Amino acid sequence: MDLSRQQRAPICDALEKFRKKRVVPFDVPGHKRGRGNPELTKLLGQQCVGIDVNSMKPLDNLCNPVSVIAEAEELMADAFGAAYAFLMVGGTTSAVQAMVLSVCAKGDKIILPRNVHKSVINALILCGAIPVYVKPKIHPVIGVALGMEKESLLEAINANPDAKAVLINNPTYYGICSDLVGLTKIAHEHGLKVLCDEAHGTQLYFADDLPIAGMKAGADMAAISMHKSGGSLTQSSVLLLGENMDRAHVRQIINLTQTTSASYLLLSSLDISRRNLALRGRESFAKVKEMSEYARNEINAIGDYYAYGKELIDGSSVYDFDVTKLCVFTKPIGLTGIEVYDLLRDEYDIQMEFGDLGTIMAYISIGDRMQDIERLASALSDIRRLYKKDKEDLAYVDAVTPKVVCSPQESFYAKKVSLPIHETAGRVCGESVMCYPPGIPILSPGELITEDLIGMILYARDKGCSLQGMADPSADNLQVLEGVKGA
């Protein structure tokens, strides 16, 4: 990394220069630097709306950058140790979809774990690729899917020698990391591209004692959520490329779906955040790690709760663990994660990242403070004292890998009928069903519906999880393929 160059922020510098010129706007956006919408200006401030501008020569164009945005992308690639980088303003969803669409066409196979984000499944719907799922092991205590094992990848490749790529979560939402170097080596030996969903892995690039990052491990592409742990504005992300990717082709893929009116608020936040991480990231994430480990110890000292960490590492299904992820298993107090999540928000004014059927997650980042950690631990202790009840058997969304009957694209666009959910066992699902966050589908288009999966959906709904993806948000009905039975 060239630290002298990393002190630059070309997009921000161009915006400041533009602001000083007091240019008369006869272009979009129509609020005209906020004058046409004083209520918006009052909410966001003149500093913000004054640089909410459209692409123009002095500010470059994200679709085909040649000046300040091009330089910002070069600096981003240098900071992350990548050959190329693209600034993304459609969230990491668009970065993940660009990865898949860059290497897969209709009918191509891609190997992936079932616990992928919905953006991956949606990419398969768009391009018509066929998923080959590697079934992960499930942890016997915390009930979440673990990492991809090398033996499982080899088995999938041998059974599908025509596969084009493998997608790996690094880390998973729960902090679990696979042997990324070993998996990448196997994939490349068999001619497969390696795609890393690193939506929760920005910190891996700016710390020496965290799991290895995708670019350092030799991955071909990596999708980075800068807005999650990197400090940029929500919806701003980065797509990284290795040396063996065709940058021009990937740019064309990105431009199929990315907006032609990129927000300079998002672009400038990426520019500033990259500079901040390049110059101070190692120091910042050392503090994040310290806070996370402190919180883990404090919460485990309460009793019953289990804030898990490096003790999960077994060298195979959990090759490494990202200790900045603070996930707390709540089953021992007789409450689901979503129930504790709701209590923390409603009774203690603490907003967690997510709560699922067994776990809550606190996203510790460069903006957190030790006093907030203390407040969280105190609230969890209070909840245990006031709300603890007898344990019950909790179902886990990760515990079942559905059978793929037909491709996500074929199923999504097929003729469908809506049936009461209790009548859908044995039918082929025509829509996605997921708890969000984290956005991992319980069911995706083209998968066989079983009684177990119906039970999981209803259990999640009844416990208060936010179910998304269905035409019927109440989950009373599911869309299935008309006239098609999967078993």
Side-chain angles (χ1 to χ4, degrees):
M1 188 193 306
D2 185 344
L3 287 179
S4 61
R5 284 196 69 207
Q6 287 296 330
Q7 297 183 50
R8 287 186 47 73
I11 297 175
C12 300
D13 292 343
L15 282 170
E16 287 296 342
K17 185 176 181 181
F18 171 80
R19 191 204 300 272
K20 293 175 181 177
K21 285 191 171 184
R22 303 175 66 87
V23 174
V24 178
F26 284 107
D27 60 349
V28 296
H31 62 68
K32 305 293 182 173
R33 317 291 189 263
R35 293 195 302 269
N37 195 339
E39 291 179 340
L40 180 67
T41 304
K42 182 180 179 181
L43 175 66
L44 300 180
Q46 183 58 51
Q47 284 284 104
C48 178
V49 296
I51 57 171
D52 180 35
V53 294
N54 199 23
S55 297
M56 59 188 75
K57 279 190 176 182
L59 299 179
D60 210 354
N61 189 300
L62 185 61
C63 294
N64 183 33
V66 295
S67 59
V68 294
I69 295 177
E71 183 184 354
E73 291 186 334
E74 290 173 6
L75 290 168
M76 189 71 73
D78 178 55
F80 279 85
Y84 312 108
F86 298 93
L87 306 185
M88 308 293 293
V89 294
T92 312
T93 287
S94 63
V96 167
Q97 291 176 349
M99 287 198 303
V100 176
L101 270 62
S102 294
V103 299
C104 290
K106 186 177 179 65
D108 288 342
K109 294 178 182 177
I110 179 171
I111 299 170
L112 61 160
R114 181 56 181 77
N115 59 322
V116 292
H117 187 262
K118 67 175 184 176
S119 58
V120 179
I121 305 299
N122 290 344
L124 303 183
I125 292 172
L126 291 173
C127 71
I130 310 297
V132 176
Y133 291 125
V134 175
K135 185 174 182 179
K137 291 180 180 177
I138 305 299
H139 193 277
V141 176
I142 58 178
V144 301
L146 303 179
M148 184 184 293
E149 299 186 68
K150 290 185 289 186
E151 295 78 10
S152 299
L153 176 59
L154 266 174
E155 183 180 337
I157 292 173
N158 291 334
N160 301 272
D162 53 343
K164 301 294 184 182
V166 56
L167 186 142
I168 304 166
N169 297 317
N170 189 54
T172 71
Y173 220 145
Y174 303 89
I176 293 164
C177 296
S178 305
D179 180 1
L180 192 56
V181 172
L183 292 169
T184 299
K185 184 175 184 291
I186 291 170
H188 284 168
E189 286 173 349
H190 291 82
L192 278 69
K193 295 293 187 184
V194 177
L195 317 179
C196 282
D197 183 347
E198 293 187 314
H200 302 278
T202 304
Q203 64 282 356
L204 305 184
Y205 288 86
F206 300 96
D208 297 322
D209 52 356
L210 292 178
I212 194 167
M215 288 293 103
K216 190 172 182 180
D220 297 290
M221 303 179 78
I224 308 291
S225 277
M226 279 284 277
H227 69 95
K228 287 187 171 71
S229 58
S232 64
L233 291 178
T234 296
Q235 199 176 307
S236 58
S237 295
V238 180
L239 178 60
L240 305 176
L241 269 62
E243 291 284 359
N244 295 322
M245 293 301 301
D246 182 343
R247 175 174 54 169
H249 173 66
V250 175
R251 176 81 73 186
Q252 289 176 321
I253 294 293
I254 291 171
N255 285 340
L256 288 176
T257 56
Q258 182 153 261
T259 179
T260 57
S261 302
S263 167
Y264 279 86
L265 299 176
L266 300 182
L267 293 173
S268 59
S269 81
L270 285 170
D271 202 21
I272 291 174
S273 299
R274 180 269 312 153
R275 180 172 63 183
N276 180 50
L277 293 181
L279 301 180
R280 294 173 286 275
R282 278 174 167 73
E283 175 187 349
S284 296
F285 285 119
K287 292 179 181 177
V288 170
K289 180 185 174 185
E290 179 184 349
M291 284 189 291
S292 300
E293 293 284 37
Y294 175 79
R296 191 172 284 110
N297 292 332
E298 289 292 296
I299 292 168
N300 284 332
I302 295 170
D304 291 325
Y305 293 113
Y306 177 29
Y308 42 91
K310 277 185 170 291
E311 72 280 355
L312 296 183
I313 295 174
D314 60 11
S316 181
S317 56
V318 185
Y319 187 79
D320 207 345
F321 188 84
D322 176 11
V323 295
T324 69
K325 298 290 181 291
L326 180 60
C327 293
V328 183
F329 183 57
T330 64
K331 180 179 177 179
I333 68 166
L335 298 175
T336 63
I338 190 63
E339 288 172 323
V340 176
Y341 171 97
D342 287 341
L343 285 168
L344 285 168
R345 183 195 61 241
D346 297 340
E347 302 297 329
Y348 298 90
D349 293 330
I350 295 174
Q351 181 60 56
M352 302 296 279
E353 169 65 11
F354 80 86
D356 62 15
L357 296 182
T359 299
I360 54 171
M361 180 190 188
Y363 214 103
I364 312 298
S365 75
I366 58 178
D368 283 300
R369 305 172 299 174
M370 196 62 82
Q371 58 260 45
D372 296 327
I373 301 292
E374 297 279 8
R375 182 173 171 183
L376 172 61
S378 176
L380 287 174
S381 179
D382 212 34
I383 288 172
R384 175 180 179 269
R385 179 176 60 84
L386 295 174
Y387 299 98
K388 180 179 178 180
K389 59 183 181 180
D390 292 339
K391 291 187 289 186
E392 59 177 299
D393 291 331
L394 303 181
Y396 293 99
V397 173
D398 285 342
V400 175
T401 299
K403 176 184 176 183
V404 178
V405 178
C406 46
S407 78
Q409 185 184 70
E410 179 185 353
S411 307
F412 185 82
Y413 289 107
K415 288 186 177 181
K416 290 171 278 195
V417 294
S418 181
L419 296 178
I421 190 169
H422 290 292
E423 299 176 14
T424 59
R427 303 296 292 267
V428 178
C429 191
E431 58 186 349
S432 292
V433 184
M434 72 201 74
C435 298
Y436 189 85
I440 299 167
I442 303 173
L443 270 170
S444 292
E447 295 178 343
L448 178 66
I449 302 169
T450 65
E451 293 288 356
D452 282 346
L453 289 167
I454 292 171
M456 286 183 182
I457 293 168
L458 296 178
Y459 185 89
R461 180 193 68 180
D462 294 343
K463 288 296 183 180
C465 290
S466 174
L467 291 175
Q468 296 188 12
M470 298 164 293
D472 178 8
S474 69
D476 291 328
N477 300 281
L478 276 182
Q479 289 191 342
V480 300
L481 270 60
E482 186 177 70
V484 178
K485 292 191 175 182

